[in-house]
Amino acid sequence: GKAFVIERSGKLVATSANEKPFKLDGTTAERIHAIDSQDKNIQAAATYLQSNIQGLAQLQDNRFFSDSINGQRQYLKVMPWKDEMGLDWLVVLLIPESDFMAQIEANNRMTMWLCFAALVGATVVGIYTSRWITRPVLKLSRASEAIAQGELDQQVEESRVAELNVLA
């Protein structure tokens, strides 16, 4: 994100971007307007503010905006700042949605992978559980078929399932 401070006239006072908020004209420094900033995000935010706030001079309370700026969803907060020495500035914070959504999206991906792992784990456990139950049932079924065909000397192994032991 970016942070910058502007006067009510729109001139830059300070910026978090790697640029100076003024131009040197010989030996005199002249502050630049935010819309003339070299930083494309600050420039776009200043242009957005000028078109959405009717007169920066009249802004007296914090304002929050959420819109597409520079082709990317951005959150913009403008806060007036005054002191007893007569300074009257606007502090502007510009945060791309991707800055804080990246962690949420990473958490969503991790949750998806954990759900997939839980599904695979539950499927594997289900397969082994069903084999554990069906193996003794199949042995009991084969023994009963053999008894039905006259082979009466069938032995069925004991099972860990009590009900199957009763049937055996």
Side-chain angles (χ1 to χ4, degrees):
K2 300 283 182 192
F4 59 98
V5 180
I6 57 176
E7 285 184 341
R8 299 288 180 154
S9 65
K11 288 186 176 182
L12 275 174
V13 174
T15 173
S16 66
N18 195 16
E19 74 170 316
K20 294 178 181 169
F22 57 87
K23 287 182 190 176
L24 285 176
D25 187 21
T27 58
T28 60
E30 185 179 329
R31 282 189 290 127
I32 60 173
H33 281 86
I35 58 173
D36 297 327
S37 172
Q38 293 174 354
D39 187 283
K40 297 295 181 201
N41 288 325
I42 292 175
Q43 189 180 64
T47 303
Y48 180 84
L49 287 174
Q50 279 191 336
S51 64
N52 287 294
I53 297 178
Q54 304 303 329
L56 294 175
Q58 281 73 38
L59 185 68
Q60 297 302 318
D61 56 344
N62 292 348
R63 293 280 179 87
F64 182 77
F65 301 94
S66 171
D67 208 341
S68 180
I69 300 174
N70 265 357
Q72 185 180 13
R73 187 102 177 132
Q74 306 262 356
Y75 294 97
L76 189 67
K77 185 169 186 179
V78 183
M79 301 166 285
W81 186 81
K82 293 181 181 182
D83 74 354
E84 62 277 349
M85 303 295 279
L87 294 178
D88 188 11
W89 294 339
L90 298 174
V91 178
V92 182
L93 302 175
L94 177 69
I95 303 171
E97 183 181 57
S98 60
D99 279 8
F100 58 88
M101 289 301 289
Q103 186 63 42
I104 293 170
E105 290 169 6
N107 288 343
N108 286 345
R109 280 191 299 278
M110 179 60 75
T111 301
M112 183 183 70
W113 283 112
L114 289 174
C115 288
F116 180 72
L119 174 65
V120 169
T123 301
V124 169
V125 168
I127 289 170
Y128 283 110
T129 302
S130 66
R131 285 185 182 173
W132 177 70
I133 293 172
T134 58
R135 204 171 273 148
V137 171
L138 289 174
K139 288 179 184 178
L140 189 57
S141 174
R142 287 187 202 116
S144 8
E145 281 181 28
I147 291 172
Q149 292 177 0
E151 299 174 28
L152 300 176
D153 61 338
Q154 297 296 313
Q155 291 290 327
V156 180
E157 297 176 17
E158 281 193 28
S159 171
R160 288 177 265 175
V161 180
E163 291 79 6
L164 294 179
N165 281 333
V166 170
L167 287 174

